[in-house]
Amino acid sequence: MDRLERFNNALKNITLSQTESGEYEIDFEGLALRAHNQVFSPKYFRSSHILLSAFPFREGERLLEVGCGLGTLSIIAALKHNNEVVATDINPYAVSLCRKNAHHYKLKDRVDVRHGDVFSAIEQNETFDTVFWDPPFVWADDDYDYQSPIERAVFDPGYRQIERFIRQSHRYLNKDGRLLMNFGSNGDLEKFTQLVGACGYDLKELSFTEIEDRGGLTYTLYQLFPRQS
């Protein structure tokens, strides 16, 4: 499948999710959560369920999730693993939903939701045990103009935001902290791998999942390690 096919397939899912009339409720792994037609939702994108089953949670750590969406991973990290979470998103609809969902489960003091682009909402002196992003890895050309807020969770023109995340992440990691990223085969893995190497990192595969009824679509969770000189 080439870049254009991957792009068009993602666009079909986005269009389907936008048939919802504004805000609606979903069940996610036994949790009742609010969703929105302008926010990446597990109802239409199965990667959220796959990621949750693969994610290597640690008890009682400080977690930064960039691109939190409606808050599935951040809320479970706080609710079930006693994490102190900072959750950020560039999409104001996502920020509002994540706050609403966190408050519903009385996590206001453990899930700090902020509006920002990659690390723009993080103070320079803030550090974390784990920094994670499930990025918008479906490739879009450099000059692509977003047509709706939800597209920012799916497309990253030229992988500019992914590069920014990798290059800046070390500033926000505690000593021995973990840098984690998710990536799917509907992205440009060759470009991503080259970018990781150019930023001075090596990839270690933590989990690999294939969806047979989606034509063998795969998702891989990676840990990034600084390359040894």
Side-chain angles (χ1 to χ4, degrees):
M1 187 182 296
D2 62 21
R3 280 180 175 176
L4 182 58
E5 288 176 301
R6 294 192 291 260
F7 178 88
N8 286 333
N9 283 344
L11 206 55
K12 287 178 184 177
N13 264 11
I14 290 171
T15 301
L16 185 60
S17 72
Q18 290 177 320
T19 61
E20 299 282 354
S21 57
E23 196 171 308
Y24 59 101
E25 186 169 300
I26 64 168
D27 177 89
F28 181 78
E29 305 294 334
L31 298 179
L33 299 174
R34 301 302 295 174
H36 193 282
N37 67 6
Q38 288 299 331
V39 179
F40 190 93
S41 171
K43 181 175 178 179
Y44 297 97
F45 298 90
R46 274 193 275 173
S47 58
S48 299
H49 295 274
I50 293 168
L51 175 61
L52 182 66
S53 65
F55 196 83
F57 291 102
R58 289 178 175 171
E59 299 302 312
E61 74 169 7
R62 182 166 163 79
L63 169 69
L64 168 62
E65 183 185 14
V66 173
C68 62
L70 57 87
T72 52
L73 188 135
S74 288
I75 288 169
I76 287 176
L79 191 64
K80 298 186 177 181
H81 300 279
N82 195 33
N83 281 194
E84 177 188 348
V85 181
V86 173
T88 73
D89 208 294
I90 193 173
N91 182 347
Y93 291 100
V95 172
S96 176
L97 276 183
C98 188
R99 282 181 181 148
K100 185 177 294 186
N101 287 327
H103 288 190
H104 176 74
Y105 286 99
K106 297 180 172 56
L107 296 171
K108 181 178 178 181
D109 295 331
R110 289 162 60 192
V111 179
D112 179 3
V113 187
R114 306 177 190 177
H115 182 225
D117 182 13
V118 189
F119 295 113
S120 66
I122 308 303
E123 300 294 335
Q124 290 196 1
N125 62 346
E126 285 188 281
T127 56
F128 302 86
D129 302 304
T130 295
V131 172
F132 169 70
W133 192 19
D134 182 8
F137 46 70
V138 178
W139 178 272
D141 290 335
D142 288 0
D143 60 353
Y144 180 75
D145 289 325
Y146 294 112
Q147 302 302 305
S148 59
I150 190 176
E151 289 191 3
R152 291 182 176 274
V154 180
F155 307 125
D156 179 9
Y159 282 4
R160 292 190 297 269
Q161 300 306 316
I162 290 176
E163 179 175 4
R164 180 180 163 200
F165 174 83
I166 298 170
R167 290 195 182 279
Q168 296 180 3
S169 57
H170 68 277
R171 305 174 188 173
Y172 306 99
L173 279 170
N174 290 330
K175 183 181 179 181
D176 300 323
R178 300 182 300 170
L179 177 59
L180 306 179
M181 297 186 75
N182 194 45
F183 203 85
S185 59
N186 49 345
D188 189 331
L189 182 58
E190 181 179 0
K191 174 69 174 179
F192 175 66
T193 303
Q194 291 173 350
L195 186 56
V196 169
C199 292
Y201 286 87
D202 289 317
L203 291 170
K204 178 183 178 182
E205 182 181 306
L206 300 183
S207 71
F208 177 87
T209 305
E210 181 175 1
I211 307 176
E212 293 183 2
D213 64 355
R214 287 286 305 279
L217 180 64
T218 65
Y219 294 99
T220 307
L221 181 64
Y222 293 104
Q223 185 167 354
L224 282 68
F225 291 92
R227 183 166 291 169
Q228 300 299 316
S229 57

